[in-house]
Amino acid sequence: MKIGLIGTGRIGAFHAATLHDLEGVTDLVVADADAARAASLAASLGVRAAPGIAEMYAEGLDGVVITAATSAHAALIHQALDAGVPVFCEKPVALDVPGTIGVVERAAAGSVPVQIGFQRRFDAGYRAARRSLRSGELGWLHTLRACTSDRTPPPAAYIPTSGGLFRDCSIHDFDILRWLTGREVVSVFAQGANRGASFFADGDDVDTCAALLRFDDDTLATVTATRYNGAGHDVRLEVCGSKDARFVGLDDRAPLPSAEPQLSWQRSAAPYATFMERFHDAYVTELGVFAEVAAGRAPNPCPPADALEALYVAEACDRSRRTGQPVAVADLRTAGGNGGTATGT
């Protein structure tokens, strides 16, 4: 299987190394707008760098992985579909709702799969919690509590292109909550704050946020995020039901220093520093599944329509934090943009 990779920054380099070692991938070709960076990555892995994207497709690809800048995602997906090549693209699909809808409609009209990179769907803890909930072990669900907390903020230059904290960061929580429950968010109330560097406010963003979500079965969820979690990179989910509960992210590297004098467990390893450490295994599994999807041996676990639904929730949260009012998610939907029930394996 010959796979192309477009975009050789931090996550692109990580995915390239994974693809290089992935069983079934016999040829890997990388490309980037920065040709020197692509050549450097190719040399480090012992693979080839294409002089351009058109030249990469001319070689005849079995699949393409897109890890380029967010602003290029939609155009690159359309280019892959023009070439009839199965696509894996890191989130988001596009910078805005209309661009995302364009990809959703194009993908739905054809037979070439487009898999969007929501890696938490492939994390062992989230998958186990989903099985427990769907099996009835937890009883009826009443509360979900999700958090995504970066240890250190991204560079200032990243903020104007990120889409904001809800779209860039919390969107992973919005997606996983839909995927885990199979339910849709109907309304949100959100707040944001800036306590850190001024470049967040300068970029019309916040460095900390909190949102209350109501689902269509009246389950409530809280979603929080911050760029300044000094204890470490913290991603967790509490799934609380009438019979039992499941807590995702409580492993030996969870950054949870306790204030209690009595504690029966002790952290035995350094806390996670980045999302790539926290979800290393999930990223590897995700690309392995994409290889199966590209080969026609597995269904698409995360189509663009699911990414659109998560984006609607993020957009509603951003509108709510700006207006100080609750927002109905239906207000964000437009004709042809309904995503339906969350899918996945």
Side-chain angles (χ1 to χ4, degrees):
M1 174 175 277
K2 179 184 288 187
I3 300 293
L5 181 136
I6 303 171
T8 56
R10 181 172 65 153
I11 191 66
F14 178 82
H15 283 339
T18 298
L19 290 165
H20 177 260
D21 295 335
L22 195 64
E23 184 177 356
V25 175
T26 56
D27 195 3
L28 176 64
V29 188
V30 302
D32 196 294
D34 184 340
R37 185 168 69 177
S40 176
L41 176 63
S44 70
L45 294 174
V47 301
R48 292 180 298 114
I53 297 172
E55 290 86 350
M56 173 185 286
Y57 282 115
E59 294 192 20
L61 300 178
D62 298 303
V64 65
V65 173
I66 296 172
T67 57
T70 294
S71 58
H73 284 187
L76 290 172
I77 292 172
H78 284 293
Q79 185 178 16
L81 294 178
D82 288 343
V85 176
V87 188
F88 174 93
C89 183
E90 278 297 342
K91 66 84 190 167
V93 173
L95 285 172
D96 54 21
V97 169
T100 303
I101 290 175
V103 171
V104 169
E105 293 177 343
R106 173 77 187 280
S111 59
V112 178
V114 179
Q115 179 180 332
I116 305 303
F118 283 106
Q119 84 283 355
R120 295 186 194 184
R121 295 182 178 214
F122 302 90
D123 178 78
Y126 283 103
R127 296 178 75 87
R130 186 180 193 249
R131 288 193 298 270
S132 294
L133 176 62
R134 299 293 184 94
S135 71
E137 292 177 52
L138 308 188
W140 49 267
L141 187 62
H142 57 80
T143 306
L144 296 150
R145 303 183 190 95
C147 75
T148 298
S149 303
D150 291 334
R151 187 182 69 168
T152 55
Y158 176 73
I159 299 307
T161 64
S162 71
L165 189 57
F166 287 112
R167 300 181 190 90
D168 178 53
C169 192
S170 296
I171 197 167
H172 282 285
D173 295 296
F174 303 147
D175 176 73
I176 206 65
L177 292 175
R178 290 186 65 249
W179 176 81
L180 189 141
T181 63
R183 314 299 308 194
E184 298 295 351
V185 179
V186 296
S187 65
V188 308
F189 179 67
Q191 294 278 286
N194 282 301
R195 300 291 307 281
S198 61
F199 62 73
F200 288 101
D202 293 342
D204 197 25
D205 195 8
V206 294
D207 60 48
T208 302
C209 66
L212 174 64
L213 281 52
R214 181 180 291 272
F215 285 81
D216 55 12
D217 62 351
D218 282 339
T219 297
L220 298 179
T222 58
V223 175
T224 63
T226 185
R227 301 292 195 183
Y228 287 98
N229 196 57
H233 185 79
D234 187 16
V235 176
R236 285 177 290 112
L237 174 64
E238 301 175 13
V239 186
C240 304
S242 59
K243 294 182 180 179
D244 206 346
R246 293 293 183 273
F247 290 67
V248 180
L250 294 183
D251 61 27
D252 286 343
R253 297 189 65 186
L256 301 173
S258 177
E260 300 297 332
Q262 300 294 326
L263 190 66
S264 61
W265 58 272
Q266 296 290 333
R267 190 169 59 197
S268 60
Y272 295 110
T274 68
F275 66 92
M276 294 172 68
E277 288 185 4
R278 169 65 176 84
F279 290 108
H280 175 276
D281 293 347
Y283 278 119
V284 173
T285 301
E286 178 182 55
L287 286 181
V289 170
F290 171 65
E292 293 296 299
V293 170
R297 294 190 291 263
N300 186 354
C302 191
D306 277 4
L308 175 62
E309 287 300 327
L311 178 59
Y312 282 142
V313 179
E315 292 279 337
C317 286
D318 196 56
R319 179 180 295 185
S320 178
R321 72 102 174 166
R322 292 176 185 277
T323 63
Q325 300 296 320
V327 173
V329 176
D331 293 346
L332 277 296
R333 293 194 176 90
T334 58
N338 293 324
T341 301
T343 61
T345 54

